[in-house]
Amino acid sequence: MKGNKIVSSDECQRELHENVDFPGTDIQFVYSPDTEHCRHLCTEHHACQFFTFIRPDWTIDNRHFHCYLKRTTSGKPNVQTPLLGVTSGFSLKPCSPSLLTCVFQVYQNVDFYGADYKTLFTQDYEECQRICTQDPVCQFFTFVNGDFTPQNIRYKCHLKFSWTVPRTPIVNAKTGVVSGFSHNIKSPNTGKACENKLFPSTEITGDAFETLPAASPEHCLSLCSAHPRCTFFSYVSISFSCQLKSKTDYMVLAAKQGVTSGLPARFCQLDNSWVKVAQEGVDFQGSDFKFVLLDDADNCQESCTHDYNCQFYTYVKTSFSDRTYWRRCYLKRVVTMPAPPKVAKLANVVSGFSLKNCVPLNTDGCSPDISVVT
């Protein structure tokens, strides 16, 4: 949109439109601390073309920090209306690669609610942010300052986690298709190379705190290694389910066909050869942002690897039952930028993000120029 002109979402539109609403056509609502973060959530979402963000100065109701992701068949907002307290804009997908990997701002009197995996006491929010930055799995934090009530949790630093590795939303067996990953996917860990510890035909007993779709035991291992609560996992091949489990006092192994279990890797570089394995007869359903016609699955994989938006793909072979879909290469992605499950106003707390992906950083792990949003 330029002035009163509504432009298509396939044009690069970096301008933000304050106090302008793109009403309706919502595909998803998520929480976000500010407009820029909301815009990058839209950019990473496979289907989002434009968005409207409800700012903290909104006064009509309590829907502060709501980020509405939107889409139309035309690629344009159906209408634009003046509305105080909101900002609207477009996905940056059509722009040159500019995915947001670092959020410098910290937010006064804003709570990133939930997603805690560790708490400790620190002297100020800067120290809390430094600890989050140095912790490999911390993505964001909330710090309780010295004026908070009740007094017994003042100076408490809450370290928080969100997924930053691609998670295939649905994995199914399907004849005539091949699925796989971009070869640009990296291990969530760093350091020296480590060996994968897997137990074939074995289940580690106990309830899962989270079950995710996964293409292979090695994919499941990568997911477990990325989550701070995961102490071991069991992968069920018939259902493509990765069961993340958390227990620190004991581990019970039991023989079971069709199940592979294992232990996560910490502070070392996982073997990422699993991302190069094409999964015959496996469909990664959903999360398509486009499809192209290609001659074979190898070309589809190369297309995914060369497209900075693509994380995984599914290719339809000519042996598929419905020839309408033959040779289609579906390129797919999910949101992986850090995103709090809920954002809310709360007096005397400070929230922010890890700076581990920010450059340049000081030797203490923090940025030399951090802005504070009040």
Side-chain angles (χ1 to χ4, degrees), residues 295-346:
D295 289 335
D296 55 45
D298 289 341
N299 285 331
C300 184
Q301 180 278 312
E302 290 177 6
S303 180
C304 180
T305 297
H306 293 151
D307 189 322
Y308 77 96
N309 278 310
C310 186
Q311 297 164 337
F312 44 96
Y313 66 90
T314 292
Y315 179 75
V316 184
K317 300 192 295 185
T318 54
S319 59
F320 189 70
S321 57
D322 188 342
R323 65 181 302 154
T324 304
Y325 298 95
W326 285 4
R327 300 178 57 243
R328 287 191 182 186
C329 171
Y330 291 93
L331 304 183
K332 302 162 181 281
R333 75 161 297 114
V334 292
V335 175
T336 55
M337 72 174 294
K342 185 175 182 180
V343 182
K345 291 184 177 182
L346 183 63

Side-chain angles (χ1 to χ4, degrees), residues 99-111:
L99 296 179
L100 186 67
T101 59
C102 170
V103 181
F104 285 102
Q105 291 87 351
V106 293
Y107 305 88
Q108 296 279 357
N109 301 314
V110 174
D111 181 23

Side-chain angles (χ1 to χ4, degrees), residues 21-29 50 52 63 68-71:
D21 182 28
F22 295 162
T25 69
D26 302 347
I27 55 174
Q28 189 175 353
F29 142 68
F50 43 90
T52 293
R63 287 181 298 154
Y68 291 95
L69 309 182
K70 300 168 180 283
R71 180 180 182 86

Side-chain angles (χ1 to χ4, degrees), residues 183-221:
H183 290 186
N184 293 322
I185 292 178
K186 304 299 182 184
S187 165
N189 299 331
T190 59
K192 69 176 184 178
C194 50
E195 295 184 7
N196 297 350
K197 189 61 176 176
L198 297 175
F199 305 105
S201 302
T202 302
E203 179 185 28
I204 300 179
T205 61
D207 294 334
F209 68 85
E210 187 167 358
T211 299
L212 300 168
S216 65
E218 292 78 12
H219 185 197
C220 187
L221 169 62

Side-chain angles (χ1 to χ4, degrees), residues 355-366:
L355 301 179
K356 58 176 61 70
N357 293 323
C358 303
V359 288
L361 296 179
N362 289 333
T363 56
D364 60 3
C366 64

Side-chain angles (χ1 to χ4, degrees), residues 97-258:
S98 58
L99 296 179
L100 186 67
T101 59
C102 170
V103 181
F104 285 102
Q105 291 87 351
V106 293
Y107 305 88
Q108 296 279 357
N109 301 314
V110 174
D111 181 23
F112 289 173
Y113 183 80
D116 298 24
Y117 70 92
K118 183 189 295 185
T119 60
L120 64 160
F121 291 93
T122 60
Q123 59 186 353
D124 51 33
Y125 79 80
E126 291 95 338
E127 176 71 6
C128 184
Q129 187 172 46
R130 282 193 291 270
I131 293 171
C132 181
T133 299
Q134 296 299 324
D135 190 314
V137 297
C138 184
Q139 302 301 332
F140 43 92
F141 68 91
T142 292
F143 173 76
V144 180
N145 70 22
D147 296 320
F148 191 82
T149 300
Q151 297 183 15
N152 62 355
I153 61 170
R154 289 176 180 175
Y155 303 103
K156 198 169 189 179
C157 170
H158 299 257
L159 304 183
K160 299 166 182 281
F161 168 81
S162 71
W163 289 104
T164 58
V165 295
R167 293 169 297 148
T168 49
I170 302 175
V171 182
N172 291 321
K174 182 173 286 188
T175 302
V177 303
V178 180
S179 296
F181 296 86
S182 165
H183 290 186
N184 293 322
I185 292 178
K186 304 299 182 184
S187 165
N189 299 331
T190 59
K192 69 176 184 178
C194 50
E195 295 184 7
N196 297 350
K197 189 61 176 176
L198 297 175
F199 305 105
S201 302
T202 302
E203 179 185 28
I204 300 179
T205 61
D207 294 334
F209 68 85
E210 187 167 358
T211 299
L212 300 168
S216 65
E218 292 78 12
H219 185 197
C220 187
L221 169 62
S222 179
L223 294 171
C224 180
S225 300
H227 199 295
R229 289 184 56 199
C230 188
T231 56
F232 42 78
F233 68 89
S234 292
Y235 176 75
V236 183
S237 58
I238 193 171
S239 59
F240 301 99
S241 61
C242 175
Q243 301 171 357
L244 305 184
K245 305 183 181 187
S246 179
K247 189 175 287 292
T248 58
D249 48 353
Y250 60 86
M251 181 175 69
V252 178
L253 282 69
K256 190 167 186 178
Q257 290 298 315

Side-chain angles (χ1 to χ4, degrees), residues 31-76:
Y31 284 98
S32 188
D34 61 22
T35 302
E36 195 63 30
H37 186 269
C38 178
R39 173 159 68 174
H40 279 83
L41 287 175
C42 178
T43 299
E44 285 205 1
H45 191 280
H46 67 280
C48 183
Q49 297 168 329
F50 43 90
F51 67 92
T52 293
F53 175 71
I54 300 184
R55 304 191 307 261
D57 59 318
W58 167 268
T59 58
I60 295 178
D61 53 36
N62 63 356
R63 287 181 298 154
H64 307 108
F65 308 109
H66 282 44
C67 173
Y68 291 95
L69 309 182
K70 300 168 180 283
R71 180 180 182 86
T72 59
T73 54
S74 67
K76 307 175 184 179

